[in-house]
Amino acid sequence: MREGSADVKAVFKRLMTMAGAAATFAGVSTAALAAESGIKEWQLGFQASATDVMDDITWFNGFTLVIITVITLFVLALLIVCMTRFSAKKNPVPSRTSHNTMIEVVWTVAPILILVVIAIPSFRLLYKQLDIPEYEMTVKATGYQWYWGYEYTDENMGELSFDSIMVKDDERQAVADARGVTLNEVPRLLSVDYDLVIPVDTTVRVQVTSEDVIHSFAMPSFGVKVDAIPGRLNETWFHAREEGVYYGQCSELCGKDHAFMPIAIRVVSKDQFQTWSTAAQDDLDTANQQLLASIADTKKLAAAGKLEEISVAAK
C-alpha cells in the first residue's frame, strides 16, 4: 500500500474506529454514576430528568429564567438611562412632572400579563404533580431519624419491607467490592445499604409519612418532593422511563443527622424486578446480589453489542 491510497485511508479509519470503541468500552464502568444517576462532580443545574414531570419542571425553569432575564435587563437599561440622561449635571433645573398616565397604566398592566403568562403553565404543572394517575404499584416510604423505611404494600409483594441506611465513608470501598462495582458507583453521602427497587416504565404511587419529626421525600430526577409528616399520609407518584440508580435526600431539616439520610432508587427492567421481588420475600440480601449480577451481565452484553456494531461499521 502506498501513502495516500484508498487502502491506507481505510485501514487508518478502521484503527481510529476501533480505538474509539475501546475507549467507550473502557469507560462504561467509570462513567456509570454519571450515566445512570444524572449527577457528576461540579455539576450545575438540575439532575438529568427521568420522568415526564421532571421534563416539564426543567422546561418551566428555563421559561421563567428567560422572563426574569428580560425583566432584569430592561430594569438595568432604565437605571442606566436615568443615571445618564436625567442626572443633575444634565438637568440643572429639575422637571416638575409628577406623573405620566400612560407609564402608570403600562407598569400596572404589564406585570399582570407577565404573571398570567407564568401562572398558566405553573398551575398546569402543579396539577400534573398532584393528580395521581392510574398506578400499577404502591410503595410506602416512612421517615425516621435518620433513615428511610420502605414497604411494598401490594398483595403480590408478600409484605416486603426494609430499612435503607446511608453507607458511611469508611464502608464505601467494602460495599463497592461486595457489589462488584467501582467506588464511583457508591457515591459519598448518597449510597445506601438497601436501594428501593422499582420496575421501569411503571407508574408508582408513593405514600409518605414519618414516625418522629417532619422529613421530606425528595427525588430530583423524578420531579418528586413531598413532606413526611407524623400522623399524616401524603401521596405522590412517578413513572421512571430509564433504568439506573437515582439519588435524593431528605429535604426538611430534621435534626443533627439530616444531611445523612439519602434516598436511592434503583430502576430495573420488569423481568429483573419480578425475579428480585420473588426472591426478596424469602431472602433480601440474596435477591440483591442476584439483581446486581443480572445488571452487571446486562451492561456487559450492551457494551459488547455496541463494540460489535462499531466494528461492523468500520469494515
Side-chain angles (χ1 to χ4, degrees):
M1 295 184 294
R2 52 189 177 79
E3 185 177 356
S5 67
D7 292 338
V8 172
K9 292 180 179 179
V11 171
F12 179 76
K13 180 179 179 181
R14 185 174 302 175
L15 289 174
M16 292 300 293
T17 303
M18 294 297 291
T24 301
F25 184 80
V28 168
S29 60
T30 57
L33 175 60
E36 291 188 352
S37 65
I39 61 176
K40 56 186 178 182
E41 294 183 354
W42 302 98
Q43 179 174 339
L44 295 176
F46 295 135
Q47 294 183 21
S49 173
T51 66
D52 290 341
V53 171
M54 191 58 197
D55 288 344
D56 291 347
I57 293 175
T58 303
W59 174 87
F60 186 67
N61 175 76
F63 174 70
T64 53
L65 180 61
V66 170
I67 294 176
I68 292 171
T69 301
V70 171
I71 293 174
T72 302
L73 294 176
F74 177 70
V75 173
L76 176 62
L78 288 180
L79 289 173
I80 294 174
V81 169
C82 290
M83 288 186 295
T84 56
R85 184 175 178 182
F86 301 106
S87 63
K89 183 177 179 180
K90 290 189 175 183
N91 297 272
V93 180
S95 172
R96 292 182 175 273
T97 303
S98 61
H99 67 277
N100 184 295
T101 303
M102 179 59 68
I103 291 178
E104 291 178 1
V105 170
V106 170
W107 77 36
T108 300
V109 174
I112 294 175
L113 295 178
I114 292 172
L115 289 176
V116 170
V117 170
I118 294 176
I120 292 174
S122 175
F123 290 145
R124 185 185 295 117
L125 176 58
L126 184 62
Y127 178 80
K128 187 174 184 177
Q129 289 178 293
L130 297 178
D131 182 48
I132 301 177
E134 184 176 352
Y135 51 89
E136 300 166 74
M137 66 178 296
T138 301
V139 174
K140 182 179 179 182
T142 304
Y144 300 91
Q145 288 181 312
W146 287 269
Y147 60 93
W148 291 94
Y150 301 113
E151 179 182 353
Y152 294 83
T153 60
D154 297 323
E155 293 183 0
N156 62 337
M157 295 299 294
E159 298 182 353
L160 174 62
S161 63
F162 54 85
D163 294 330
S164 181
I165 301 173
M166 186 189 76
V167 175
K168 297 180 181 179
D169 281 352
D170 56 359
E171 299 173 343
R172 289 176 60 217
Q173 188 61 60
V175 171
D177 294 339
R179 295 179 179 179
V181 298
T182 65
L183 191 62
N184 287 335
E185 295 177 78
V186 187
R188 180 176 178 270
L189 301 183
L190 292 175
S191 294
V192 296
D193 53 358
Y194 293 106
D195 299 335
L196 175 62
V197 182
I198 296 295
V200 72
D201 289 330
T202 301
T203 301
V204 181
R205 178 181 66 162
V206 184
Q207 297 179 321
V208 182
T209 188
S210 171
E211 280 293 324
D212 34 56
V213 300
I214 297 178
H215 301 279
S216 183
F217 186 88
M219 181 55 59
S221 293
F222 296 168
V224 168
K225 186 176 185 294
V226 59
D227 285 344
I229 302 174
R232 180 172 178 174
L233 196 64
N234 287 332
E235 290 186 340
T236 186
W237 70 282
F238 63 83
H239 185 107
R241 60 171 178 257
E242 298 176 10
E243 297 179 27
V245 186
Y246 302 92
Y247 297 100
Q249 291 175 304
C250 174
S251 296
E252 186 72 36
L253 292 175
C254 57
K256 70 180 184 67
D257 285 341
H258 159 69
F260 306 106
M261 55 179 301
I263 302 165
I265 299 180
R266 185 178 294 274
V267 181
V268 300
S269 69
K270 293 186 177 182
D271 290 338
Q272 288 174 331
F273 178 79
Q274 184 61 43
T275 302
W276 174 84
S277 62
T278 302
Q281 296 175 35
D282 297 324
D283 189 336
L284 181 59
D285 291 324
T286 300
N288 283 340
Q289 292 175 0
Q290 294 173 347
L291 177 62
L292 291 172
S294 175
I295 293 172
D297 291 340
T298 301
K299 288 181 180 179
K300 290 179 181 178
L301 289 174
K306 188 173 182 180
L307 180 61
E308 184 177 354
E309 290 178 3
I310 295 175
S311 300
V312 171
K315 294 180 180 179

